[in-house]
Amino acid sequence: MKKIIPLIASGMMLLTSSAVSAADIYAEADADSAANVAVSYTAEDLQDLQDFLLAKPSDKDLSGKSYDLNGDGKWDAFDLCLMREKLAEKPNTGGDTIVVYFSRTGNTEKIAEYLIDITGADSYVIEAVEPYSDADIEYNNSDCRANKEQNDKSVRPVIAGEKISLDAYDTVYLGYPIWWGQEPRIIDTFLESYDFSEKTVIPFCTSASSGISTSERNIAALVPIGEQLAGRRFSASASKEDVKKWTESLG
Ligand SMILES: Cc1cc2nc3c(=O)[nH]c(=O)nc-3n(C[C@H](O)[C@H](O)[C@H](O)COP(=O)(O)O)c2cc1C
């Protein structure tokens, strides 16, 4: 979610000028939002509207969606901002759970967003002070930053922004991509920055094919954790239903 802020800001001018008019197609559904009928939005709605505005190829059918939040007859960046505000105001129904994740190319983020939507949990995005460029993750180049970091277990990339408080949370879902069979070193930075000795940590990851086991062992050995539940590896194409089934299996 945090990541979307600069996107909204920078995309604002671009998107408002080229916004696709949805008035004709979606007039009926948008009557709800225009008439201020209480419409509830999810993180998935936010993603769908953003993808629509960026004209990303998608086979999703958005007809019937109430995305014209300001009732001006079109879907544009202003609606995206309003939706984001509404989501931020949404009461936390996830209770004592937070989904924390690092994602460089969006695969883990997609799974995290499904998880946030399903559980109603709060979320926190781990971002590096020095963001990872495309060159930084060019794993075919043995000298790229990601490879060098993964080759040195003592590296701790600095996390951007203020530390958050985890006091209110008992359960932490921790998501990351697999880099060379392990968790990225910035996950180690995160783990060493907080006290998990009385928390339940549930790792999840995405990868091309590698499993989650090595990273689970690394995490367990790195810091004291109250209880670490078995983690789950997802493919980049995993569906929301897959994530839902997993959360249900956790009880
Ligand atoms: C530096 C680097 C190393 C990777 N190493 C592995 C690996 O060992 N095994 C694997 O299955 N995938 C590997 N991948 C692929 C990523 O795990 C996969 O694309 C993941 O879904 C990316 O998640 P993200 O989009 O959240 O960043 C690697 C990717 C990068 C950039």
Side-chain angles (χ1 to χ4, degrees):
M1 290 300 100
K2 260 171 99 190
K3 273 188 177 167
I4 222 162
I5 301 167
L7 181 66
I8 291 171
S10 61
M12 201 71 140
M13 287 192 307
L14 194 143
L15 294 173
T16 47
S17 57
S18 63
V20 181
S21 172
D24 296 337
I25 317 169
Y26 308 124
E28 199 177 319
D30 278 335
D32 285 347
S33 42
N36 283 327
V37 174
V39 178
S40 179
Y41 297 101
T42 63
E44 192 179 357
D45 285 317
L46 192 71
Q47 187 69 52
D48 287 346
L49 178 57
Q50 183 183 311
D51 290 349
F52 174 82
L53 295 176
L54 293 171
K56 281 196 183 169
S58 165
D59 49 14
K60 276 198 174 177
D61 178 10
L62 299 183
S63 55
K65 295 287 185 182
S66 306
Y67 290 169
D68 179 15
L69 280 82
N70 60 0
D72 66 355
K74 63 188 178 198
W75 295 359
D76 58 22
F78 293 108
D79 298 311
L80 194 65
C81 291
L82 288 170
M83 190 185 286
R84 195 185 173 282
E85 271 173 25
K86 272 185 173 255
L87 263 174
E89 287 163 5
K90 213 170 141 184
N92 168 24
T93 50
D96 56 5
T97 303
I98 186 165
V99 177
V100 176
Y101 65 94
F102 167 71
S103 177
R104 171 48 185 80
T105 53
N107 296 338
T108 312
E109 179 167 61
K110 189 188 80 169
I111 303 299
E113 282 175 354
Y114 289 154
L115 198 48
I116 293 159
D117 208 21
I118 292 162
T119 60
D122 286 346
S123 63
Y124 169 64
V125 185
I126 300 171
E127 289 177 287
V129 158
E130 191 190 331
Y132 289 86
S133 66
D134 289 345
D136 287 341
I137 59 160
E138 186 39 76
Y139 53 80
N140 290 322
N141 171 6
S142 57
D143 272 343
C144 80
R145 175 183 169 193
N147 289 17
K148 284 198 278 192
E149 287 180 1
Q150 294 309 100
N151 280 331
D152 180 352
K153 277 202 153 196
S154 68
V155 172
R156 294 291 179 270
V158 180
I159 294 175
E162 298 286 306
K163 265 184 82 171
I164 56 162
S165 170
L166 292 181
D167 290 352
Y169 307 105
D170 292 333
T171 302
V172 181
Y173 284 93
L174 180 59
Y176 47 85
I178 294 295
W179 282 1
W180 293 111
Q182 303 181 26
E183 75 288 1
R185 297 284 165 249
I186 198 164
I187 293 295
D188 299 345
T189 312
F190 172 76
L191 285 164
E192 287 176 347
S193 305
Y194 297 89
D195 178 7
F196 295 94
S197 61
E198 292 183 3
K199 304 207 185 288
T200 298
V201 172
I202 313 173
F204 66 98
C205 72
T206 63
S207 73
S209 62
S210 297
I212 196 169
S213 320
T214 305
S215 64
E216 282 181 295
R217 283 195 295 274
N218 289 349
I219 289 169
L222 191 66
V223 291
I225 291 176
E227 185 182 19
Q228 182 176 334
L229 300 192
R232 169 75 187 259
R233 177 252 168 196
F234 291 94
S235 72
S237 61
S239 67
K240 189 171 179 181
E241 197 51 35
D242 295 330
V243 179
K244 191 157 179 270
K245 279 191 191 139
W246 174 55
T247 57
E248 285 165 357
S249 75
L250 292 170

